[in-house]
Amino acid sequence: MKILVLGNSHVAALRSAYGIKYSGNNEYYFIARPQGFGGLNGLKYQVESDRLLREDITGFVSWEDRPLSEYDAFVFVGYRVPYLDDGRTFYSSAILKARYSDVITERIHLKLAVLISESINKKVYIISHPFQDSEYRPGSTYDSHQKRIDILNDLIIGSKIDFLPIPELVVETGHAKMKSIYLKDDGAHGNEEYGAVILSEIDMKLADI
Amino acid sequence: MEPLNPYENLPDKAFWRLAVAAHNMFDIEGLWDPKFNIRPKAKVVTFGSCFAQHIGKALVKRGFSWMSNEMPPKGLSADNAKKYNYNIFSSRTGNIYTTSLLRQWTEWSLDKKKTSDEVWEKDGRYYDPFRPQIEPDGFGSPDEVLQSRNQTISSFKEGILTADYFVFTLGLTESWFNKKTGVEYPMCPGTAAGVFDSENHIFKNQDYPFILNNLRESMQLMREVNKKLKFILTVSPVPLTATNTGNHVLLATMESKSILRAVAGQLARSRSFIDYFPSYELINAPSFKGVFFEPNQRGVTSFGVDFVMDTFFKSLASKFEKNESIPPRQRKVLKNKKQADQDVVCEEELLNAFGK
């Protein structure tokens, strides 16, 4: 299967892992937000309007000049998990529908993910950035992260998008904190080991399709 | 030496010539002598007629602790939060125009009366008779209406239990009741939603004793569960849109506002835990020449609202010198800065990953 990984600087961990540690059978391709250096020819999806975004998607090619439709799945990495409510408060269906629209339209990667999943009808996985040391608060649990992911998946139920939690394997048991062996020195980005775990997770998900 | 008469030693504010005629209208002072030192950390809830929403906004703007007990779901945009009437009042009650409606919400929330199961339907959508415009396109089912109303009742109760100050703006004397069930509607059925039934929907132009009694009973019920709760009453300066009394709408407006003003004054004079803030006079008094009204002579301009709320805070500061506003929170600024810092790191990260 051909998989396109999109995102920001957190794409780096997966790309590094793919070149060194990956032993699966899928073909991964990578693309990051245009940075204006390093020879990147990234996708310009920071667009001005819905219309432009929809037009772009038809002619959207990856770094590899491959039409999007030739990919079997897409992976967005490196995003902040939006914090949604815990589901204990009642909201009307109209409000939840409006909230869904707001959550999507205010986050460009979600907007693009929805467009890809709807227009190309392919599976899209979204994984947040690793837990960052600077954001850790005592008492932040892995369960609460998992719950946030569950709520997001409830929000987009019926679509071909899946939010994936950060794998339990890479966190300190029970905590929303990375094991240091999976982080780079900056405490913010995953390393090759982390990238390899994520690729493995995606492979497993794709095997279930 | 004994004064010749009681007026001789009165302060300037007691005399029209000295307190009003001698001043530019924007320099008239001493219109409110606040009873309570409302500190920025004190929890304040606001309910009532349309004008009450300005008080909540002004409190937030000044760094005071206005309580919104019914928050929009996380992720809902500010525009949609407004569309669905979040953060207009401290709960999504919609307008509580009359003191009897306030009593109805209070009794429901404190389990003194069984809540209504009435729901209105129109074109396949469902509306809450007690908050007919709370969801502009209605609800998806009758059950949604009732669940949403229960959510509001619950959050209204939370406000009663936890607030330090309950600000209530009295708006109307004219009201509509259901003859069979006794419930009161905030709007005449058949206007914003519902169908008018002349047999069952009855009009009542509330009189002074009725209004006084309902307001007194409401406050009594609230104080039974929150003894520290204090009240600030105001009267909406906004004239009636329409009257069902048969009178001219201008006369009906003056009469109803006069009654509401008298009730608020009576309660503020007779109870230590009740104060009256003169938003009505600040907009409507002849000295202000109607300058705070929109061209339709009904809507209050933002300038007028600011004038009223400036008076509110200036009066507090003047009487309680240590009253301080909390400076605007810097969290968002810091958060953006943090994000910007992080982006700088990220640029370098990409170079490392994609470089040879």
Side-chain angles (χ1 to χ4, degrees), chain B residues 72-220:
Chain B
K74 296 278 192 309
L76 192 71
S77 66
D79 284 350
N80 272 325
K82 190 176 174 188
K83 177 181 175 185
Y84 288 96
N85 288 288
Y86 283 98
N87 302 329
I88 305 294
F89 303 103
S90 290
S91 298
R92 290 174 80 215
T93 54
N95 291 300
I96 303 178
Y97 293 110
T98 63
T99 62
S100 42
L101 263 177
L102 175 65
R103 184 172 177 177
Q104 184 165 275
W105 279 105
T106 306
E107 289 180 335
W108 283 349
S109 69
L110 299 179
D111 296 324
K112 300 292 180 186
K113 269 196 181 164
K114 189 175 176 294
T115 54
S116 169
D117 56 3
E118 188 173 351
V119 172
W120 290 341
E121 188 269 340
K122 185 185 178 188
D123 300 332
R125 300 294 291 174
Y126 298 87
Y127 295 83
D128 188 343
F130 309 101
R131 309 174 300 157
Q133 293 181 309
I134 208 73
E135 301 243 345
D137 304 315
F139 291 87
S141 69
D143 187 54
E144 274 196 5
V145 175
L146 298 178
Q147 284 199 66
S148 174
R149 190 194 303 155
N150 285 337
Q151 183 79 52
T152 297
I153 290 170
S154 169
S155 71
F156 187 78
K157 179 180 182 177
E158 190 187 336
I160 293 172
L161 295 176
T162 56
D164 298 304
Y165 296 97
F166 190 106
V167 180
F168 184 67
T169 300
L170 292 79
L172 296 177
T173 58
E174 297 188 24
S175 54
W176 290 90
F177 286 81
N178 184 308
K179 194 160 74 178
K180 286 179 192 158
T181 61
V183 294
E184 179 179 349
Y185 307 110
M187 297 183 74
C188 176
T191 52
V195 177
F196 183 69
D197 171 5
S198 58
E199 292 295 311
N200 194 37
H201 295 142
I202 53 170
F203 174 74
K204 180 177 177 64
N205 191 16
Q206 303 182 4
D207 58 15
Y208 178 93
F210 187 88
I211 295 164
L212 181 76
N213 183 50
N214 279 304
L215 187 50
R216 195 167 46 202
E217 285 298 316
S218 302
M219 292 191 285
Q220 177 67 28

Side-chain angles (χ1 to χ4, degrees), chain A:
Chain A
M1 292 177 119
K2 292 183 177 62
I3 300 124
L4 180 61
V5 179
L6 309 96
N8 50 24
S9 56
H10 293 277
V11 170
L14 279 70
R15 187 179 191 269
S16 301
Y18 185 65
I20 300 167
K21 296 182 177 297
Y22 182 70
S23 56
N25 295 321
N26 291 317
E27 290 176 38
Y28 281 89
Y29 300 87
F30 302 89
I31 191 162
R33 200 164 50 192
Q35 301 294 318
F37 56 82
L40 286 175
N41 183 22
L43 162 70
K44 287 183 181 176
Y45 60 81
Q46 286 174 335
V47 290
E48 291 172 1
S49 70
D50 280 347
R51 194 177 62 81
L52 185 56
L53 190 58
R54 285 184 186 278
E55 283 175 357
D56 268 6
I57 205 163
T58 55
F60 185 115
V61 291
S62 78
W63 196 14
E64 310 292 334
D65 287 337
R66 189 186 307 279
L68 276 187
S69 56
E70 289 188 14
Y71 293 100
D72 299 295
F74 299 84
V75 179
F76 285 79
V77 297
Y79 296 96
R80 192 177 291 271
V81 181
Y83 178 78
L84 301 177
D85 50 279
D86 57 12
R88 283 179 295 189
T89 307
F90 175 79
Y91 298 109
S92 71
S93 51
I95 289 175
L96 292 178
K97 192 174 169 188
R99 192 263 297 271
Y100 170 73
S101 174
D102 288 341
V103 168
I104 299 302
T105 55
E106 287 184 0
R107 291 168 175 81
I108 194 73
H109 66 288
L110 288 183
K111 206 168 175 179
L112 187 60
V114 168
L115 282 171
I116 287 174
S117 67
E118 287 177 352
S119 61
I120 308 174
N121 198 28
K122 296 288 173 65
K123 195 76 186 171
V124 176
Y125 297 102
I126 300 177
I127 306 179
S128 74
H129 59 60
F131 296 126
Q132 304 195 343
D133 285 350
S134 62
E135 292 181 351
Y136 179 72
R137 300 283 176 274
S140 300
T141 64
Y142 184 75
D143 278 355
S144 63
H145 168 71
Q146 180 79 55
K147 199 168 184 179
R148 286 168 72 174
I149 298 296
D150 289 346
I151 291 167
L152 282 167
N153 281 322
D154 287 346
L155 180 74
I156 51 147
I157 201 159
S159 77
K160 292 183 82 82
I161 299 172
D162 263 0
F163 286 92
L164 302 180
I166 294 168
E168 207 163 358
L169 173 70
V170 303
V171 302
E172 301 280 1
T173 307
H175 295 280
K177 183 175 173 56
M178 302 291 292
K179 288 176 182 166
S180 58
I181 57 167
Y182 290 106
L183 279 182
K184 301 202 87 169
D185 291 342
D186 65 3
H189 290 85
N191 57 19
E192 290 166 11
E193 301 291 339
Y194 174 76
V197 172
I198 298 296
L199 291 177
S200 170
E201 285 280 317
I202 296 163
D203 278 0
M204 280 195 289
K205 287 284 174 188
L206 289 171
D208 292 339
I209 294 178

